[in-house]
Amino acid sequence: KAVSLPLDRVEDLALILPKETWYVVYGAVPHGPDIGVRDYLKANHWDDVAILEEGFDEWETRGYPTKSD
């Protein structure tokens, strides 16, 4: 399941995210502001957080799935 966390509301919306779930943080471009989201979550005890370093556009370029059935 994907959850959109607008950058300006991360602190508020993060409160609804269970901490015992894995999260992959990504943005539209490589090395963008999504790194700050990952850092915020990790600093506040969301331990299982990874980042898609090259952004969502690269994910699509590589042909990885963007939807599930």
Side-chain angles (χ1 to χ4, degrees):
K1 179 179 179 182
V3 177
S4 177
L5 293 176
L7 292 174
D8 62 343
R9 298 199 50 220
V10 168
E11 292 179 27
D12 296 329
L13 296 174
L15 298 174
I16 65 171
L17 299 176
K19 291 186 177 184
E20 58 280 339
T21 299
W22 261 100
Y23 295 97
V24 176
V25 178
Y26 62 87
V29 297
H31 314 291
D34 46 310
I35 293 170
V37 173
R38 180 212 44 206
D39 293 347
Y40 173 83
L41 293 173
K42 284 189 153 290
N44 288 280
H45 309 290
W46 277 268
D47 297 323
D48 298 324
V49 180
I51 192 160
L52 181 59
E53 292 282 350
E54 297 303 319
F56 187 73
D57 290 344
E58 181 64 20
W59 181 272
E60 284 188 309
T61 297
R62 292 181 185 199
Y64 295 154
T66 58
K67 298 179 183 177
S68 63
D69 294 330

